[in-house]
Amino acid sequence: MAKSAYIHIPFCAHKCDFCDFAAFAGLDDLSDQYTKTVISEIEGRLKEQPNNHKLQTVFFGGGTPGYVDPKQLGAIIASLDNETGLEKDAELCLETTPQTITVEKCKQWQSFGIKRISIGIESLNDKELIALSRGHTREQARAGFATARAGGFTNIALDLMYGLPEQTLESWRQTLDDLLALEPEHISAYGLTIAENSPLLIRYPRESDVYPDEDTFVLMYETLVQKCSDAGLFQYEIANFAKAGYESKHNLTYWKNEEYLAFGVSAHRYYRGTRSSNFRSLRRYMRDYLLDETSESIDEQTKMKEAIFLGMRLRQGLDLKIFQRDFGVDLTQSRASELEKLQDGGFVEIADQKLRLTQKGVLMSNSVLSELI
Ligand SMILES: C[S@@+](CC[C@H](N)C(=O)[O-])C[C@H]1O[C@@H](n2cnc3c(N)ncnc32)[C@H](O)[C@@H]1O
Ligand code: SF4
């Protein structure tokens, strides 16, 4: 049973050089047909495997869901409502770029129940935005935020990246100061990851010194945590910060290892004990939308590992009592020696029956977690 659904909308005004998502520019002609395919997928999959639960969250990710005709999102929402139902106060969220936002669109989105908007700002430094081939300037980014507010959004999340070409600790500080002055309800900030075949690498090879070095990268993360905390944004996950009550309910589904539906090209779901994904090729998805590209049935052992891996991302930590209830395992006993080593090294701590990464542990989270699972 799933209380959340992810919908992938793959269309963008232009393709950014760093982006490795299923996101396509210049295929706008397909978007009507794509919407119909997603609706057929929702109907087909939920007929085959009904979900006897109303949805509490729906997340339109991409791609740029804010770029397409809002009516297409409205049609998908109506189909979800029909096939599984939506809670009255469900968190409906959409991702978009700053330059797609208009007051009219905000009103249309809200008329379908979308109350949260997540804007990809990435940086407020023009040199960095050009280096990323981002397609918007600092001023356009700020204008996008102002338009979302003027359009009535009281729950705005901003996405940022660090470790960018041309970025310095000073320019990152400035981006954070300017961004926090806007008083967003939520910030997500991820280190730039560069895929092997990324066009960004042609202009900025990996070993080039335009990227911040490792020490600077660590300082950037620490600056992020400090500045968000000073601004009253609570760090509730390794890379996510929110005012009280504005945490992303949708993403909490993932981190709590709960099941969710997913529809659209390349979308990944966790449903009825199986993790599966749709085709990443747009043409293949539109032909074979009820087939999976990958599928893995999650056994108890894997589920346990995932619960540790995901739960430890939450700053409140992994609830050891709930873990014992769900899996019948007391981690403080079964992993006693590993935990002692990690505690002695200052990487994890246990308080109030919660096992959590320390700030030092967060910086090395992958190696710390691999010790545990
Ligand atoms: C699908 S995009 C958000 C919506 C919209 N397409 C946009 O770009 O503004 C989701 C977010 O993922 C992050 N992202 C994309 N590519 C990334 C990469 N290579 N490394 C780190 N973060 C990335 C960016 O912060 C981006 O805003
Ligand atoms: S980062 Fe966003 S706008 Fe840029 S290509 Fe990816 S999905 Fe599209």
Side-chain angles (χ1 to χ4, degrees):
M1 253 186 343
K3 291 177 274 177
S4 294
Y6 174 82
I7 315 285
H8 194 84
I9 305 290
F11 304 103
C12 291
H14 102 128
K15 177 82 183 181
C16 306
D17 278 357
F18 59 88
C19 176
D20 195 35
F21 290 116
F24 313 105
L27 295 182
D28 305 359
D29 288 355
L30 289 177
S31 78
D32 253 334
Q33 187 55 37
Y34 181 80
T35 304
K36 289 184 185 132
T37 307
V38 170
I39 290 172
S40 301
E41 188 197 354
I42 292 171
E43 291 168 356
R45 286 193 185 270
L46 289 175
K47 191 175 208 172
E48 236 171 74
Q49 294 195 313
N51 180 42
N52 298 322
H53 209 291
K54 286 189 178 183
L55 297 175
Q56 290 172 357
T57 76
V58 177
F59 191 95
F60 287 95
T64 308
Y67 176 62
V68 301
D69 182 343
K71 287 197 205 87
Q72 296 175 346
L73 307 182
I76 292 171
I77 292 169
S79 157
L80 286 170
D81 198 13
N82 235 355
E83 300 303 322
T84 179
L86 290 172
E87 293 287 358
K88 247 184 53 215
D89 60 349
E91 177 191 88
L92 270 55
C93 178
L94 117 167
E95 279 188 327
T96 197
T97 51
Q99 65 274 39
T100 51
I101 305 170
T102 64
V103 169
E104 296 70 40
K105 268 190 182 171
C106 290
K107 298 291 173 205
Q108 272 178 290
W109 294 329
Q110 286 156 8
S111 73
F112 304 129
I114 296 171
K115 292 191 212 80
R116 183 175 193 268
I117 182 171
S118 170
I119 310 174
I121 300 282
E122 321 311 352
S123 160
L124 284 177
N125 179 292
D126 277 332
K127 208 165 148 196
E128 294 161 22
L129 290 167
I130 290 169
L132 287 173
S133 72
R134 177 60 190 161
H136 65 75
T137 61
R138 162 192 165 87
E139 276 323 307
Q140 283 174 307
R142 286 158 54 92
F145 179 88
T147 308
R149 275 278 189 256
F153 277 98
T154 54
N155 190 353
I156 304 182
L158 302 181
D159 281 358
L160 280 178
M161 298 191 300
Y162 57 100
L164 307 178
E166 307 289 357
Q167 194 174 39
T168 63
L169 186 55
E170 198 39 51
S171 70
W172 174 235
R173 283 203 180 107
Q174 194 63 54
T175 284
L176 286 170
D177 286 342
D178 294 349
L179 202 87
L180 290 164
L182 300 173
E183 301 187 3
E185 281 67 39
H186 189 285
I187 284 185
S188 303
Y190 289 93
L192 176 70
T193 51
I194 312 176
E196 247 0 285
N197 54 356
S198 169
L200 190 72
L201 288 179
I202 296 171
R203 284 185 293 119
Y204 299 107
R206 226 180 268 278
E207 61 281 1
S208 107
D209 60 8
V210 288
Y211 295 102
D213 61 25
E214 223 169 278
D215 290 345
T216 309
F217 189 81
V218 169
L219 285 172
M220 285 177 165
Y221 178 73
E222 289 172 353
T223 306
L224 166 74
V225 173
Q226 187 59 52
K227 283 196 182 286
C228 284
S229 150
D230 293 347
L233 295 178
F234 172 69
Q235 183 180 23
Y236 69 103
E237 195 265 353
I238 290 182
N240 285 273
F241 306 81
K243 287 188 186 165
Y246 288 93
E247 299 85 359
S248 162
K249 291 195 186 83
H250 183 83
N251 287 343
L252 281 167
T253 308
Y254 302 152
W255 300 317
K256 288 184 181 163
N257 208 16
E258 292 168 357
E259 298 205 337
Y260 53 93
L261 304 165
F263 305 99
V265 61
S266 83
H268 286 59
R269 69 188 62 76
Y270 179 28
Y271 190 51
R272 298 195 178 197
T274 298
R275 288 193 185 272
S276 63
S277 67
N278 289 352
F279 287 102
R280 194 183 152 99
S281 144
L282 185 58
R283 283 182 201 287
R284 183 76 200 271
Y285 165 74
M286 288 182 61
R287 200 178 65 215
D288 291 326
Y289 53 85
L290 290 180
L291 299 183
D292 297 334
E293 182 163 66
T294 64
S295 178
E296 184 195 2
S297 160
I298 303 298
D299 60 24
E300 197 63 3
Q301 199 61 24
T302 310
K303 194 173 170 190
M304 205 158 82
K305 285 183 185 170
E306 289 180 344
I308 298 175
F309 187 80
L310 294 163
M312 292 283 286
R313 289 193 63 94
L314 293 172
R315 296 307 288 129
Q316 67 173 32
L318 179 72
D319 192 316
L320 293 168
K321 266 206 305 232
I322 293 182
F323 189 88
Q324 186 161 13
R325 183 199 68 195
D326 290 350
F327 300 105
V329 174
D330 179 353
L331 274 182
T332 58
Q333 298 290 322
S334 67
R335 288 282 190 278
S337 66
E338 291 90 343
L339 280 176
E340 195 182 318
K341 213 168 80 188
L342 291 170
Q343 276 176 300
D344 288 349
F347 298 110
V348 300
E349 60 196 11
I350 299 177
D352 299 333
Q353 292 283 326
K354 304 251 170 57
L355 170 63
R356 66 193 290 268
L357 292 164
T358 59
Q359 212 59 267
K360 179 177 167 189
V362 166
L363 291 167
M364 307 180 64
S365 58
N366 284 344
S367 32
V368 175
L369 292 174
S370 68
E371 289 277 319
L372 274 179
I373 59 183

